[in-house]
Amino acid sequence: MVAKRVVPKNKASVVKNIAYEPQVIERKWQAKWEKDKLYRSVIDNSKPKHYALTMLPYTSGDLHFGHWYPMAPSDARARFKRMNGYNVLFPIGFDAFGLPAENAAIKRGIHPKTWTYKNIDNMRRQLKTMGNMFDWSREAITADPEYYRWTEWFFIQLFKQGLAYRKMSAVDWCPSCNTTLAREQVVGENRVCERCGTPVIKKDLEQWFFKATKYADELLNFDEIDWPERVKTLQTNWIGRSEGASVIFKTEAGEPIEIFTTRPDTLWGATFMVFAPEHPLVDKVTTPQQKAAIEAYKAQAARQSDIERESADKEKTGVFTGGYAINPVNNERIPIWIADYVLMSYGTGAIMAVPAHDERDFAFARKYNLPIIPVIQPVGTSHDSPLQAAYVGAGVMVNSGPFNGTRVNTEKGRKNPGISAVIDWLAQQGIGKEAVNYRYRDWLISRQRYWGAPIPMIYCDKHGWTPVPEDQLPVLLPDDVEWKPTGESPLKLHPTWKNTTCPVCGEHAVRETDTMDTFMCSSWYHLRYLSPHYDKAPFDPKEYDYWMPVDTYTGGIEHANMHLLYTRFFHKALRDAGIVEGNEPMMQLRNQGIILGEDNEKMSKSRGNVVAPDELVGQFGADALRTYLMFAYRWQEGGPWNSQGIDGTARWLRRVWTLFTDHTPAGAASDETKKNLRRRVHQTLKRVTRDFENFEFNTIISSLMELLNEMYKAREAGAAGSPEWNEASEIYLKMLAPVAPHIAEELWTNQLGKTYSIHQQSWPKVDEDAAKEDMIELPVQVNGKVRDRIVVPAEASEDEIKSAALASENVKKFLEGKEPKKIIVAQKRLVSVVV
RNA sequence: GCCGAAGUGGCGGAACAGGCAGACGCGCACGACUCAAAAUCGUGUUCCUUCGGGAUUGAGGGUUCGAUUCCCUCCUUCGGCACCA
């Protein structure tokens, strides 16, 4: 039908057939917006602010779907917020330090700085093709000295707060990246490097740590932030808080040993102790007779990889030390063993073993013939037959001195009456106290690499570690460095760089040659965006006061236990140092899913299933790609790419173009047609507004597609040229503007002839009256099956609806003459007749 | 093993107070236009059917006049943690 309208072969039809050439209009508007500084965000106290942040890209050199998918919809929402009266800040920058730059240097002899900044130039160009409302004047690059000067400064502030310290310990080491890693950066059951996938090994090294565990409890509190449950769960599990008691056991060798247990109620059943093989007390408690066996076991445990050691189904092994401890609750003499199922890295590295009520201890006791004494008896049982398995359920305490008869349930910590009572008693007796243990570890920050922010510390033989004086920051990375994958920091091999003087005594001293984990750089980038060139502090307080905190943060969930946890810790540490305010940096978080290849596998060059956004932009335009990414998936889920799917949104945008460029003469539509059009427009506006708030981009696009179809029909019915038509056109383009900013601007400014720019217009207001239906169609069910539909006025009473329903021929037929028992009119949405 | 998320046509998905299952789009089929193709436009498209209707939201059960939606049991997929004392 529409085609017919275009058919008349007069001159008008030639004029109206302007081709939609996205590449032309997109470039044109991007240039104009930039020239007009349309997206420059300036403090304006007359408006509410909205800080929309999307995770900054790493400078890999090429912009892929992993960037487009989170960024384009985030941009649409930022634009929506802006049209809704907010002064919006939507900044961008580059996470520019890191290993790939150094690898490029090793492999191809390109300086990491050259490689990185060349990549940034390309990515900046690619980012601009997206048409986002980024405020480029606030661009921050973490590898710029004016940026990392403050990364170093923050390190010093944390050091001054007692939150940065050095410790010798067995740390995770990636043999491919040749550096240590934080615990979070070792992933999966094979314990591989998060960056390169190589299995990590343990090394005993002295490294810098941040005391993140100080904030463990606070990090478990999400009351102030609107973050997805998934992320909160991941972080909660990662921190791994467990409640119980710490108890001190004396050893016959003299040194007391503290253990942590979540089951103090089973203390009377502790029949032996187990130390981790690496435990420092092992040598003290070992008797001369057992020494050889113990040494052999220790050596074997040290040889084994963590994966071998930590696999749960492995049969438990251990060796008796010959030494004994005294169970403080009943003064029983219990043997001390070592076994590799006890880990030095959790708790105190030693446990009390209660074989009757712990599966691991049970297996161990069985194997080595150690006594098993039940101290929790299931209620209603009394038999004394030997346990066939550890009993971990509820019951009554037995063989437990003063606590015999005390009830124990399956709750943890203080919620369990048995545990609670024993904790109080231990404290009273002075042999133990309530304790909380975490799986969470302090953040290992040292990296044995060149391309990172130097750790601004100086070591002097006399004065130990001292921070570089703040007026000497930044400690600049030297350019003339040799990159060799030696496992030593390249800065260490530099002939002169590390030599300096001690800030305390002025004598010769050396710089720290390790650099910082790049997650340190990204822990505060949202603050640097506020004033990227400010040189008196990491950020301009005026900008901070206006823009912070981040209102909406978007990015991938893969960083739940890394960046998203680090940045929360960092904020709290800065708060305690008096640098920032509030308890949380980012108030609302939303995670997008992942776009997979067409084969439903992760996109990767080796699989050959990579789709390049650049090519799609060349073929369909940025608007079509943006809208397809919003339309095709639940944004928070993602899914496989479908190369034909983008035709759908490209077609839709062409139809939009056709409708707005085809100057149909005014017709004589009926009042009803016009009223219906207006109703659909306002109903759509209502839905689109709601969906923008909720990050439901797919239904925004489908609503706009539906409305376009309605507009085509209304035009056929002669609505063009009417006030209702003009209102529909305006509202349509305004709703389109956030999702497809270029075509909306072109049609608004050059076709409708409205005031430039559409992106500075206000979001339209819903006219609730116009959105209301006059007549409503209700399905009528008889015994739960839809048998007919009736049309009644929207304001019809329940009784009127009931009689209309019963009057229906089809309903009568299915009633088969029987009297209805009940007629339910449900919220004016459905009539249910029950026989 | 523990914790979390999710299962709806050939495909992506919609249904936002428990109330018409399958909106919107992809694909497909047929038709119009064309010498032809592309583009565009139109019609149809969950399955079965004796054309009355029946079945159907991973499976089974429950609550309800009514369940994709709430409850219970189970299955599958994905993600995280995992000898954590």
Side-chain angles (χ1 to χ4, degrees):
Chain A
M1 307 256 283
V2 171
K4 276 184 202 146
R5 199 159 274 282
V6 187
V7 163
K9 293 196 167 55
N10 54 29
K11 279 186 182 167
S13 73
V14 177
V15 173
K16 62 195 173 188
N17 276 326
I18 316 160
Y20 172 44
E21 293 177 297
Q23 294 77 7
V24 175
I25 63 163
E26 287 176 5
R27 216 167 294 149
K28 178 181 81 180
W29 287 114
Q30 282 161 15
K32 180 152 172 63
W33 294 333
E34 190 167 347
K35 186 171 139 274
D36 296 344
K37 302 182 168 54
L38 199 67
Y39 305 125
R40 186 67 56 87
S41 305
V42 180
I43 293 174
D44 177 352
N45 287 304
S46 71
K47 284 183 181 173
K49 65 92 184 181
H50 181 81
Y51 188 170
L53 181 68
T54 189
M55 286 182 188
L56 87 175
Y58 179 72
T59 51
S60 58
D62 193 38
L63 211 66
H64 47 79
F65 277 125
H67 301 109
W68 271 80
Y69 191 53
M71 287 180 186
S74 298
D75 174 68
R77 195 163 182 283
R79 289 173 177 277
F80 167 78
K81 282 287 181 187
R82 172 166 151 146
M83 291 177 81
N84 276 277
Y86 289 91
N87 187 20
V88 175
L89 171 60
F90 188 50
I92 191 74
F94 297 95
D95 182 17
F97 273 140
L99 193 72
E102 218 163 319
N103 285 345
I106 294 163
K107 238 187 245 165
R108 285 173 280 170
I110 309 167
H111 195 284
K113 191 189 273 179
T114 313
W115 185 85
T116 301
Y117 282 82
K118 204 182 93 218
N119 285 348
I120 289 174
D121 285 342
N122 188 46
M123 291 176 79
R124 194 187 287 118
R125 174 192 63 73
Q126 290 177 302
L127 278 166
K128 288 187 176 181
T129 67
M130 225 184 261
N132 284 1
M133 59 171 288
F134 289 133
D135 179 356
W136 285 98
S137 72
R138 292 173 184 268
E139 180 192 279
I141 300 172
T142 61
D144 280 349
E146 65 172 356
Y147 187 103
Y148 72 73
R149 169 186 175 184
W150 299 107
T151 308
E152 294 174 5
W153 184 83
F154 280 125
F155 183 97
I156 294 171
Q157 307 316 307
L158 263 63
F159 179 78
K160 286 181 175 169
Q161 292 285 305
L163 293 171
Y165 68 96
R166 272 175 83 82
K167 181 177 74 175
M168 167 65 94
S169 64
V171 297
D172 295 306
W173 171 272
C174 173
S176 163
C177 296
N178 270 304
T179 183
T180 52
L181 299 172
R183 180 64 189 86
E184 290 79 18
Q185 293 155 30
V186 178
V187 297
E189 61 185 309
N190 296 326
R191 294 181 47 78
V192 301
C193 168
E194 173 263 337
R195 195 92 224 178
C196 71
T198 308
V200 302
I201 57 171
K202 288 278 188 200
K203 274 197 178 186
D204 286 318
L205 291 169
E206 189 177 298
Q207 302 277 291
W208 286 101
F209 289 85
F210 284 155
K211 214 179 237 169
T213 51
K214 184 186 169 191
Y215 295 91
D217 268 324
E218 210 191 326
L219 289 166
L220 288 168
N221 179 352
F222 300 94
D223 290 350
E224 290 178 34
I225 50 179
D226 168 20
W227 281 30
E229 286 303 322
R230 280 175 71 194
V231 176
K232 294 197 265 183
T233 306
L234 286 169
Q235 293 195 346
T236 303
N237 291 345
W238 184 256
I239 292 168
R241 180 191 157 98
S242 42
E243 296 172 10
S246 67
V247 184
I248 299 179
F249 284 64
K250 287 186 185 124
T251 61
E252 290 183 347
E255 304 255 357
I257 169 75
E258 186 179 5
I259 58 101
F260 171 78
T261 177
T262 55
R263 294 295 306 273
D265 55 321
T266 64
L267 258 165
W268 284 262
T271 52
F272 58 103
M273 291 190 86
V274 187
F275 287 14
E278 307 87 344
H279 197 285
L281 235 52
V282 170
D283 290 344
K284 290 231 171 71
V285 300
T286 301
T287 56
Q289 298 94 307
Q290 291 299 103
K291 195 164 176 58
I294 290 287
E295 286 306 322
Y297 188 80
K298 279 165 71 174
Q300 178 220 322
R303 263 200 317 276
Q304 274 187 339
S305 74
D306 273 23
I307 315 160
E308 287 164 346
R309 247 188 92 163
E310 291 180 11
S311 109
D313 20 291
K314 195 192 81 171
E315 193 177 347
K316 303 210 168 356
T317 58
V319 177
F320 179 41
T321 60
Y324 286 84
I326 305 299
N327 185 337
V329 302
N330 56 12
N331 293 317
E332 293 282 337
R333 190 168 177 258
I334 58 175
I336 300 171
W337 287 62
I338 65 169
D340 62 6
Y341 79 93
V342 173
L343 309 173
M344 197 56 225
S345 57
Y346 186 79
T348 61
I351 62 160
M352 68 171 197
V354 184
H357 304 291
D358 180 284
E359 286 164 22
R360 296 154 299 178
D361 299 343
F362 185 86
F364 196 79
R366 271 283 177 91
K367 178 162 180 186
Y368 294 107
N369 260 326
L370 293 157
I372 300 171
I373 300 174
V375 289
I376 309 288
Q377 197 160 56
V379 178
T381 63
S382 56
H383 59 87
D384 293 316
S385 59
L387 282 174
Q388 292 308 300
Y391 178 71
V392 293
V396 177
M397 290 172 71
V398 295
N399 301 325
S400 298
F403 287 94
N404 284 338
T406 306
R407 289 263 175 167
V408 171
N409 59 28
T410 54
E411 295 280 350
K412 296 190 163 125
R414 284 285 185 180
K415 285 185 206 142
N416 190 318
I419 293 175
S420 188
V422 174
I423 288 174
D424 290 339
W425 181 83
L426 287 172
Q428 203 190 325
Q429 301 290 311
I431 49 179
K433 58 175 195 286
E434 183 165 10
V436 176
N437 218 311
Y438 302 90
R439 190 185 163 269
Y440 194 39
R441 297 274 76 93
D442 281 341
W443 178 8
L444 195 170
I445 209 89
S446 308
R447 296 292 176 274
Q448 292 69 41
R449 318 200 295 217
Y450 162 73
W451 192 235
I455 294 175
M457 298 297 290
I458 294 170
Y459 183 78
C460 161
D461 283 338
K462 277 191 214 123
H463 297 99
W465 288 100
T466 322
V468 172
E470 289 177 24
D471 60 6
Q472 290 173 25
L473 297 181
V475 176
L476 285 169
L477 274 181
D479 283 340
D480 53 336
V481 158
E482 290 255 12
W483 305 280
K484 282 178 189 153
T486 57
E488 292 276 24
S489 174
L491 292 176
K492 204 172 201 170
L493 308 174
H494 189 280
T496 54
W497 184 82
K498 68 179 177 219
N499 298 318
T500 185
T501 51
C502 172
V504 181
C505 63
E507 294 291 307
H508 177 259
V510 289
R511 295 185 186 281
E512 169 61 82
T513 54
D514 286 350
T515 56
M516 285 183 241
D517 183 0
T518 53
F519 280 109
M520 171 82 179
C521 309
S522 55
S523 289
W524 71 281
Y525 74 105
H526 54 287
L527 293 169
R528 194 59 185 168
Y529 282 155
L530 301 172
S531 48
H533 309 298
Y534 194 67
D535 64 0
K536 295 179 188 66
F539 51 84
D540 182 339
K542 285 200 301 288
E543 299 278 341
Y544 180 91
D545 289 344
Y546 182 75
W547 294 108
M548 278 296 284
V550 173
D551 294 282
T552 297
Y553 194 28
T554 53
I557 197 166
E558 66 274 14
H559 284 299
N561 293 334
M562 292 185 277
H563 166 62
L564 290 170
L565 197 50
Y566 293 139
T567 196
R568 289 182 68 217
F569 152 72
F570 206 75
H571 185 92
K572 291 171 195 299
L574 299 193
R575 176 202 60 196
D576 289 350
I579 298 166
V580 299
E581 291 169 340
N583 298 320
E584 297 283 348
M586 290 115 182
M587 304 316 287
Q588 181 187 45
L589 172 73
R590 291 294 180 269
N591 306 112
Q592 80 285 351
I594 300 171
I595 305 291
L596 303 168
E598 278 204 278
D599 52 4
N600 212 3
E601 298 283 339
K602 200 174 163 193
M603 276 194 200
S604 73
K605 277 181 196 152
S606 56
R607 284 200 180 87
N609 61 354
V610 174
V611 182
D614 272 4
E615 285 171 29
L616 294 161
V617 171
Q619 198 181 344
F620 298 97
D623 283 340
L625 181 54
R626 289 169 61 101
T627 50
Y628 180 63
L629 290 175
M630 291 182 224
F631 177 61
Y633 315 88
R634 288 185 268 231
W635 186 65
Q636 324 212 11
E637 303 290 326
W641 176 254
N642 174 354
S643 57
Q644 285 169 322
I646 193 171
D647 287 336
T649 50
R651 201 170 289 155
W652 166 57
L653 291 177
R654 269 200 301 276
R655 271 164 56 77
V656 171
W657 180 266
T658 304
L659 187 80
F660 281 87
T661 54
D662 171 4
H663 297 288
T664 316
S670 67
D671 286 351
E672 204 199 335
T673 299
K674 290 188 280 192
K675 196 173 177 189
N676 283 340
L677 173 64
R678 189 140 198 273
R679 179 182 303 124
R680 291 304 300 257
V681 167
H682 284 275
Q683 286 176 343
T684 305
L685 177 58
K686 206 172 164 176
R687 280 208 302 273
V688 167
T689 306
R690 180 195 68 197
D691 292 349
F692 261 120
E693 288 296 347
N694 297 334
F695 296 82
E696 284 164 356
F697 302 102
N698 55 347
T699 46
I700 291 171
I701 307 295
S702 61
S703 297
L704 290 175
M705 286 175 169
E706 277 179 273
L707 183 58
L708 186 74
N709 293 342
E710 291 299 319
M711 285 181 73
Y712 266 98
K713 279 185 209 149
R715 192 180 67 165
E716 268 316 295
S722 65
E724 289 83 357
W725 177 262
N726 294 338
E727 186 201 16
S729 304
E730 272 191 36
I731 293 181
Y732 197 87
L733 290 182
K734 283 182 182 175
M735 291 192 291
L736 183 66
V739 297
H742 311 89
I743 188 175
E745 182 80 280
E746 176 70 21
L747 295 174
W748 175 264
T749 305
N750 288 342
Q751 289 297 318
L752 295 194
K754 300 278 180 186
T755 313
Y756 168 83
S757 157
I758 193 170
H759 303 297
Q760 290 169 310
Q761 305 300 315
S762 300
W763 192 251
K765 293 249 175 317
V766 177
D767 182 336
E768 292 287 351
D769 284 337
K772 265 187 202 138
E773 299 280 355
D774 295 331
M775 301 294 285
I776 50 174
E777 192 189 73
L778 300 177
V780 184
Q781 295 184 345
V782 179
N783 285 340
K785 291 221 156 81
V786 177
R787 296 304 183 183
D788 203 2
R789 282 153 219 282
I790 55 170
V791 177
V792 296
E795 64 277 10
S797 70
E798 270 200 25
D799 284 341
E800 286 166 330
I801 293 171
K802 279 181 190 174
S803 38
L806 291 176
S808 142
E809 285 304 320
N810 238 352
V811 170
K812 280 183 194 159
K813 183 176 143 200
F814 282 93
L815 281 177
E816 295 164 337
K818 287 177 220 149
E819 264 311 293
K821 259 190 225 153
K822 211 175 183 185
I823 304 171
I824 296 148
V825 179
Q827 294 131 38
K828 298 212 165 167
R829 295 169 101 163
L830 173 140
V831 184
S832 181
V833 181
V834 189
V835 183

